[in-house]
């Protein structure tokens, strides 16, 4: 083994809470995290100092004797609304050597409802079918401006401008939360946009999630029927005076050229009417009542444009339609530049796939996914403001001789920082992983949605429950998912039931009021965030929600702890389920339900132990153990065969450790037999898919796990890849081998749930697995297939809170060369393919090993 190390000694990154933008913190006591770089392989942090220098003041310093680096408590006096300054971190080693950060500018938002002088205003007498309104005002600003900050949000979506210049780069702001309990606001430094004298302020308002159509029932105005803006501009001048410009009843309104907007149906725009109130008939506004106590600052990044894609190909369909192929299934819209006769109409229709050469729109169900534009007669840009689509293909009409250089696809997503990568010598697996990334990117649109294209696009709890480990490796999801969990707690019913979608727009009558694997997101997702980001406070915040969910399950269970009967999704989308009944799986819903009761009760017990709640830990541990024993008695034979005798049944029992030791071997052998008999095809739905490959390893058959993930016949992970998929599909066979779309009423080509397998690819194929919260300790133990089958090397990297971790292995003759880079603060247990084990700390490491043969293993 050889060891080298980097040469710098410095604090390389400081993070406040989970937000990469510390300019508008929503707490008076922000937690801090930092990474250290050092050239000393023996260096360890012994203590740290946090220094805060308020604007125009002296540095305040607190020293703490601790090796902690992640989400450490704010040790100084609490900050106040609008506080600003810089933070500096100093980490001390045992010899007194100090690693210091560059000063980081921070700012605090408006922490109290009383900080708001502005009021929500919207057009007087507005109707649901009216064009998107503009609310606006002008104001005189006298004197030299030294700083100005705009605090703004809306009921609906907004686009704010000052003196004709757009403020910020956020899309679909303020995003989607459980509006009745939580409404996010944004904050912008707008100093450079202001001028002495008269200034113009305006915002265009769109329906968005607040007032647009929601769910397959297409009902409108779920949260309210009045669009409104809340804006407060606070200006500081050179003479020390301040001026506040705020939305109130003196503002005015007018109609825009956005004639209709809806995120299911699309946007219709008259481009001859500019998005400016100049020259339009001004009308009055009205105050719209809203509880200002619901306002909060962002937990994580906003939705932004994350990429633009050029045209891959322009196709003429069999019916003569002009269709653009962008080569990638994405979420966003088309930007098209054109010039035509005034009043002429350009129509753009969207779809994820082609069927028989035409746009495949049946999976959209009732969503029209159509943008239309009435041209101005000059140079026009056809681009919507208040909608989004899931698509790869766009059918364009109304443009003669379409120039591909004047068209692009605009991809949007919550602008999460990418943290995890994965690559290998296996092209199909690389494409599978890329499909997972694009599927997450398109569906992480302020909430973790199930799909981005049809009349749904909802935050289904079951999807994120299974996908959260993968998501939290690929991107920094700490703030994003913490925000979603806060909405879950708001929308959770008094009896502890968890709605199937969060935010809940399906109502109390929806069947999935207490459905296994869906509601269990209340217990699972906080646990994942603890494991991946060491966020203990998040567990404490969510603990009442976690406990309430399990208490609900206890109330539904039999006296001996079995959860039987009632509505269940079960192992949703088991590949054997008929197209019209996705819940008809091989495994009994009672087995799935009881398994999740066992697991969630254990997770609540773990959370209680973490939080020092010993009595509750004992209680929920007892609940879990009682249900586990009843599971064995009711569903497991004396030899170890599990009711249902299918992949998912054994995967749950093995991975979640339900079986007595004397029955595990038989269960493992039976699982291996089932997989071999299926020719390594997948036979799992939402519940079993994240578990099946780990279960095969626990059964002592990693060779079968490798054969399963590289199978290409339907159903398999690589079957969609062979069909040209660029995202993960909802069904294993969303498109049939003959190129026709699955006949089921419910099918989508961008659903991330089955992409949960990427977590196994990260942990096992590459060998980079967390072993302690926040990756403070990791396990490096890659599976190296005995028969290469195209896998000659594999690598993964993860940008942890401590710094970047990388692992790579490659074949060299009969040997395998393994390298790893580990940042300070992290230790690793290394298990080589020849069985040797090592414990290492930070630095660059390299090993060579000759893997065991199948017989030796």
């Amino acid at each position: 083994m050889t060891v080298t190390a980097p040469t710098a000694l410095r604090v390389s990154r400081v993070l406040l809470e989970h937000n990469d933008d510390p300019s508008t913190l929503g707490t008076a006591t922000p937690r801090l995290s930092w990474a250290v770089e050092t050239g000393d392989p023996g260096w360890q942090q012994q203590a740290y100092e946090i220094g805060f220098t308020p604007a125009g003041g002296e540095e305040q310093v607190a020293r703490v004797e601790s090796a902690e680096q992640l989400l450490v408590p704010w040790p100084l006096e609490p900050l106040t609304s609008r506080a600003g300054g810089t933070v500096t971190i100093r980490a001390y080693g045992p010899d007194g050597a100090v690693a210091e950060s560059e000063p980081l500018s921070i700012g605090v938002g408006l922490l109290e409802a009383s900080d708001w002088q502005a009021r929500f205003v919207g057009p007087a007498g507005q109707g649901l079918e009216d064009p998107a309104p503009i609310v606006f005002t002008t104001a005189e600003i006298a004197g030299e401006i030294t700083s100005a900050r705009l605090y703004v949000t809306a009921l609906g979506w907004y686009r704010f401008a000052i003196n004709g210049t757009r403020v910020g780069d956020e899309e679909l702001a303020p995003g989607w939360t459980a509006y009745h309990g939580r409404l996010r606001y944004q904050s912008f430094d707008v100093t450079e946009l202001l001028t002495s004298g008269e200034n113009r302020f305006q915002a265009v308002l769109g329906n968005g999630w607040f007032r647009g159509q929601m769910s397959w029932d297409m009902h409108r105005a779920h949260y309210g029927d009045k669009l409104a803006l809340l804006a407060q501009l606070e200006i500081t001048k050179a003479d020390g005076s301040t001026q506040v410009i705020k939305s109130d009843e003196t503002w005015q309104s007018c109609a825009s050229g956005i004639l209709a907007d809806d995120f299911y149906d699309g946007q219709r725009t008259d481009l001859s009417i500019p998005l400016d109130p100049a020259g339009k008939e001004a009308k009055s506004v009205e105050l719209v009542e809203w509880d200002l106590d619901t306002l909060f600052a962002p937990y994580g990044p906003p939705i932004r444009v994350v990429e633009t894609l050029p045209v891959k190909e322009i196709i003429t369909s069999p019916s003569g339609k002009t269709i653009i192929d962008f080569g990638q299934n994405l979420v966003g819209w088309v930007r098209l530049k054109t010039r035509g006769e005034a009043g002429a109409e350009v129509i753009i229709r969207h779809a994820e796939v082609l069927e028989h050469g035409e746009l495949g729109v049946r999976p959209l169900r009732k969503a029209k996914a159509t943008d239309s534009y009435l041209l101005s007669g000059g140079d026009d840009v056809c681009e919507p403001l208040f909608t989004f689509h899931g698509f790869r293909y766009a059918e364009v009409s109304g443009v003669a001789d379409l120039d591909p250089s004047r068209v692009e696809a605009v991809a949007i997503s919550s602008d999460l920082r990418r943290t995890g990568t994965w690559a290998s010598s296996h092209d199909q697996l690389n494409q599978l992983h890329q499909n997972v990334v694009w599927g997450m990117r398109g569906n992480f649109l302020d909430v973790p949605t199930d799909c981005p294209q049809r009349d749904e696009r909802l935050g289904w709890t079951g999807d994120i429950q299974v996908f959260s480990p993968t998501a939290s490796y690929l991107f920094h999801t700490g703030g994003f998912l913490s925000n979603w969990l806060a909405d879950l707690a708001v929308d959770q019913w008094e009896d502890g039931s968890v709605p199937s979608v969060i935010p809940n727009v399906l109502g109390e009558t929806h069947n999935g009021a207490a459905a296994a694997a869906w509601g269990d997101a209340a217990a699972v997702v906080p646990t994942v965030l603890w494991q991946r980001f060491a966020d203990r406070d998040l567990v404490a915040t969510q603990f009442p929600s976690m406990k309430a969910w399990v208490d609900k399950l206890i109330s539904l269970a039999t006296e001996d702890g079995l959860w039987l009967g009632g509505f269940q999704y079960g192992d949703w989308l088991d590949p054997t389920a008929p197209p019209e009944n996705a819940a008809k799986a091989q495994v009994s819903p009672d087995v799935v339900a009881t398994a999740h009761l066992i697991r969630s009760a254990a997770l609540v017990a773990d959370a209680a132990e973490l939080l020092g709640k010993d009595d509750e830990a004992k209680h929920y541990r007892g609940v879990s153990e009682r249900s586990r024993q009843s599971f064995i008695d009711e569903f497991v034979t004396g030899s170890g065969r599990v009711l249902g005798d299918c992949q998912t049944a054994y995967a749950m029992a093995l991975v979640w450790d339900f079986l007595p030791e004397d029955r595990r071997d038989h269960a493992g052998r039976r699982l291996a037999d089932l997989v071999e008999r299926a020719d390594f095809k997948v036979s799992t739905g939402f519940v079993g898919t994240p578990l099946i490959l780990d279960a095969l390893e626990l059964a002592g058959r990693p060779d079968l796990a490798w054969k399963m993930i590289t199978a290409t016949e339907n159903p398999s992970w690589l079957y969609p890849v062979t069909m040209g998929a660029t995202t993960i599909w909802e069904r294993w066979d969303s498109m049939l081998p003959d190129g026709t779309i699955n006949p089921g009423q419910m099918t989508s080509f961008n659903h991330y749930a089955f992409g949960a397998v990427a977590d196994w690819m990260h942990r096992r194929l590459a060998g980079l697995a967390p072993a302690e919260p926040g990756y403070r300790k990791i396990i490096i133990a890659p599976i190296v297939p005995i028969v290469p089958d195209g896998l000659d090397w594999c690598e993964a990297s993860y940008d942890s809170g401590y710094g970047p971790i990388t692992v790579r292995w490659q074949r060299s003759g009969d040997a395998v060369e393994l390298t790893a880079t580990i940042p300070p603060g992290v230790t690793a247990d290394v298990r080589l393919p020849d069985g040797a084990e090592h414990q290492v700390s930070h630095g660059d490491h390299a090993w060579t090993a000759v893997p065991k043969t199948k017989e030796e293993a």
Side-chain angles (χ1 to χ4, degrees):
M1 180 183 74
T2 60
V3 179
T4 60
T7 57
L9 176 58
R10 65 188 183 104
V11 171
S12 58
R13 182 180 61 221
V14 178
L15 191 69
L16 277 75
E17 294 297 325
H18 291 289
N19 202 332
D20 288 310
D21 177 10
S23 64
T24 313
L25 298 169
T27 173
T29 54
R31 298 169 298 168
L32 300 101
S33 305
W34 58 89
V36 175
E37 293 180 4
T38 177
D40 179 358
W43 192 92
Q44 291 183 330
Q45 178 181 297
Q46 302 290 305
Y48 62 83
E49 279 184 358
I50 295 176
F52 173 61
T53 305
E58 297 294 322
E59 185 181 39
Q60 306 162 12
V61 178
R63 182 182 172 100
V64 179
E65 302 295 323
S66 171
E68 294 297 326
Q69 293 174 232
L70 301 187
L71 296 171
V72 303
W74 181 258
L76 302 165
E77 287 296 314
L79 303 171
T80 58
S81 293
R82 307 177 181 85
T86 60
V87 166
T88 303
I89 305 294
R90 302 175 188 93
Y92 290 89
D95 57 356
V98 59
E100 185 168 350
S101 72
E102 295 292 329
L104 176 68
S105 295
I106 70 167
V108 180
L110 304 183
L111 302 180
E112 306 292 339
S114 58
D115 291 322
W116 290 91
Q117 301 177 40
R119 292 297 178 264
F120 281 95
V121 298
Q126 59 181 299
L128 290 176
E129 304 304 324
D130 292 345
I134 304 174
V135 292
F136 62 95
T137 195
T138 60
E140 290 284 336
I141 302 176
E144 183 182 350
I145 301 166
T146 58
S147 66
R149 182 160 286 275
L150 173 68
Y151 302 95
V152 58
T153 190
L155 307 179
W157 289 338
Y158 74 87
R159 175 71 63 85
F160 203 94
I162 296 177
N163 294 322
T165 299
R166 175 183 176 182
V167 173
D169 59 359
E170 304 192 2
E171 303 290 347
L172 314 184
W176 186 13
T177 50
Y179 292 115
H180 53 279
R182 306 175 68 250
L183 176 60
R184 186 190 295 113
Y185 70 87
Q186 286 75 42
S187 172
F188 303 97
D189 183 342
V190 296
T191 309
E192 299 302 318
L193 300 183
L194 300 176
T195 182
S196 294
E198 185 179 80
N199 289 262
R200 296 174 289 114
F201 308 94
Q202 70 169 71
V204 189
L205 302 179
N207 292 312
W209 294 289
F210 185 83
R211 203 176 75 161
Q213 298 179 114
M214 297 288 279
S215 88
W216 46 88
D217 292 333
M218 309 295 279
H219 66 276
R220 292 282 305 272
H222 183 86
Y223 295 101
D225 61 1
K226 293 181 179 180
L227 302 178
L229 177 80
L230 181 74
Q232 184 163 306
L233 174 61
E234 299 184 352
I235 305 167
T236 301
K237 301 179 183 178
D239 62 3
S241 64
T242 60
Q243 181 178 354
V244 177
I245 299 168
K246 59 185 183 295
S247 55
D248 59 22
E249 63 274 14
T250 67
W251 285 48
Q252 296 178 297
S253 70
C254 64
S256 75
I258 300 174
L259 306 180
D261 64 277
D262 183 82
F263 64 95
Y264 285 173
D265 287 346
Q267 179 174 312
R268 180 167 175 78
T269 310
D270 187 341
L271 295 174
S272 69
I273 304 174
L275 291 177
D276 189 297
K280 296 185 176 71
E281 179 186 0
K283 297 181 179 180
S284 61
V285 298
E286 60 182 356
L287 296 180
V288 177
E289 290 300 319
W290 196 266
D291 183 2
L292 298 181
D293 282 318
T294 63
L295 298 174
F296 70 97
Y299 285 27
I303 299 170
R304 290 191 175 101
V305 173
V306 294
E307 193 167 340
T308 57
L309 286 79
V311 172
K312 179 182 179 182
E313 183 182 7
I314 295 181
I315 302 165
T316 300
S317 76
S319 66
K321 304 291 187 183
T322 299
I323 298 177
I324 302 171
D325 177 8
F326 290 102
Q328 173 64 54
N329 197 12
L330 60 96
V331 175
W333 51 78
V334 172
R335 179 186 293 149
L336 184 154
K337 298 177 182 179
T338 190
R339 184 181 183 90
E341 183 178 342
E345 187 172 22
V346 172
I347 299 175
I348 305 176
R349 302 171 63 223
H350 305 77
E352 296 181 295
V353 294
L354 299 181
E355 187 174 32
H356 308 307
E358 303 289 349
L359 217 58
V361 296
R362 181 172 60 81
L364 302 178
R365 299 192 302 210
K366 297 175 186 176
K368 296 176 183 176
T370 300
D371 297 331
S372 60
Y373 305 89
L374 300 175
L375 302 182
S376 69
D379 290 327
D380 287 321
V381 178
C382 299
E383 179 177 16
L385 191 64
F386 293 137
T387 192
F388 64 88
H389 311 288
F391 69 101
R392 171 175 171 170
Y393 299 92
E395 178 189 289
V396 179
S397 60
V399 178
D401 300 321
L402 187 64
D403 182 352
S405 69
R406 294 173 62 80
V407 188
E408 59 187 347
V410 178
I412 62 171
S413 175
S414 286
D415 194 13
L416 299 165
R417 174 165 52 89
R418 183 74 185 270
T419 50
T421 67
W422 186 94
S424 76
S425 58
H426 197 291
D427 291 341
Q428 288 181 319
L429 289 180
N430 291 341
Q431 184 63 52
L432 171 65
H433 193 270
Q434 185 73 351
N435 292 359
V436 175
V437 173
W438 270 99
M440 177 178 172
R441 178 178 284 174
N443 280 295
F444 273 51
L445 206 67
D446 212 50
V447 303
T449 60
D450 60 325
C451 64
Q453 73 297 102
R454 67 179 178 231
D455 53 358
E456 197 164 340
R457 315 182 194 187
L458 306 177
W460 285 91
T461 49
D463 300 56
I464 191 58
Q465 186 266 124
V466 299
F467 190 72
S468 53
T470 294
S472 297
Y473 174 90
L474 293 174
F475 293 87
H476 188 89
T477 61
F480 179 96
L481 288 178
S482 295
N483 177 74
W484 183 80
L485 285 168
D487 285 332
L488 186 151
V490 165
D491 277 346
Q492 191 169 7
W493 292 313
E494 289 186 5
D495 70 351
S497 298
V498 174
S500 294
V501 300
I502 299 295
N504 179 28
V505 294
L506 298 183
E508 295 187 17
T509 59
H510 184 69
N511 286 334
W518 272 248
D520 290 280
V524 173
V525 178
T527 302
V528 170
L529 296 187
W530 161 243
Q531 293 168 342
R532 298 305 175 97
F533 302 114
D535 195 340
R536 182 183 183 278
D537 290 348
L538 184 277
V539 177
T541 298
Q542 294 298 131
F543 186 73
S545 168
M546 300 171 72
K547 187 171 68 168
W549 167 248
V550 172
D551 287 344
K552 174 64 178 179
L553 302 191
I554 294 170
S555 76
L556 295 173
T558 63
E559 187 174 342
D560 53 359
L562 296 172
W563 185 5
L564 308 174
F567 173 84
Q568 295 292 346
Y569 295 106
D571 193 21
W572 187 253
L573 287 169
D574 176 322
T576 65
E580 69 278 2
N581 187 357
K584 191 173 182 180
Q586 300 167 78
V587 64
S588 164
D590 293 342
V591 173
V592 172
T594 302
H596 281 82
L597 168 55
I598 299 167
R599 183 190 184 208
S600 282
L603 294 180
V604 172
D606 291 343
E609 288 179 2
L610 173 68
L611 301 174
K613 300 176 182 291
D614 296 339
D615 290 344
E616 288 171 300
K618 181 179 179 181
H619 168 67
Y620 289 105
R621 191 76 65 202
V623 168
S624 181
E625 288 300 321
R626 181 176 67 250
S627 290
R628 177 179 179 269
Q629 186 58 54
S630 296
F631 181 98
I632 295 168
D633 295 342
E634 185 76 11
F635 302 134
V636 184
T637 69
S639 65
R641 184 163 292 203
V642 182
L643 182 67
D645 195 35
C646 61
Q647 291 182 14
T648 291
Y650 292 107
M652 290 189 301
L654 288 167
V655 175
W656 293 342
D657 195 21
F658 294 165
L659 302 176
E661 192 63 35
D662 61 351
R663 304 187 212 180
R664 287 181 64 84
D665 285 348
H666 179 86
R669 288 194 300 272
R670 180 57 183 162
L671 174 61
D673 184 53
L674 289 172
V675 169
E676 289 182 305
R677 288 176 181 233
D679 291 327
F680 314 108
K681 296 175 185 175
V682 174
S683 297
T684 56
F686 272 30
V687 170
T689 294
L691 308 174
I692 182 63
L693 301 184
D694 283 299
L696 287 170
E697 283 195 74
L698 289 170
R701 297 302 303 273
D703 57 315
L704 300 188
W706 170 247
K707 289 182 179 180
M708 194 173 206
I709 199 171
T710 52
T712 57
E713 292 186 19
N714 177 47
S716 67
W717 283 285
L718 293 186
Y719 165 71
V721 172
T722 69
M723 295 292 289
T726 61
T727 43
I728 299 297
W729 293 352
E730 180 175 20
R731 295 178 182 268
W732 295 106
D733 58 350
S734 286
M735 179 166 282
L736 304 182
D738 64 0
T740 59
I741 296 170
N742 186 290
Q745 183 264 349
M746 179 198 75
T747 194
S748 136
F749 294 88
N750 195 352
H751 242 74
Y752 57 70
F754 289 145
V757 70
D759 180 56
W760 183 85
M761 297 167 71
H762 305 148
R763 290 183 292 105
R764 303 302 293 122
L765 276 187
L768 201 172
E772 290 184 4
Y775 287 76
R776 180 155 196 166
K777 184 177 184 179
I778 62 174
I779 295 174
I780 300 175
I783 291 177
V784 179
I786 295 171
V787 179
D789 288 336
L791 195 67
D792 295 316
W793 61 266
C794 188
E795 64 184 13
S797 69
Y798 178 70
D799 190 9
S800 74
Y802 296 99
I805 304 168
T806 63
V807 174
R808 176 186 170 94
W809 64 262
Q810 65 182 30
R811 298 180 191 274
S812 178
D814 293 334
V816 171
E817 296 175 349
L818 175 66
T819 58
T821 298
I822 301 169
V826 176
T827 59
D829 285 346
V830 182
R831 301 165 191 173
L832 299 180
D834 62 2
E837 298 186 3
H838 303 272
Q839 289 77 44
V840 297
S841 60
H842 63 270
D844 295 335
H845 306 273
W847 302 268
T848 300
V850 177
K852 293 181 179 180
T853 65
K854 182 176 181 180
E855 291 72 22
E856 291 172 333

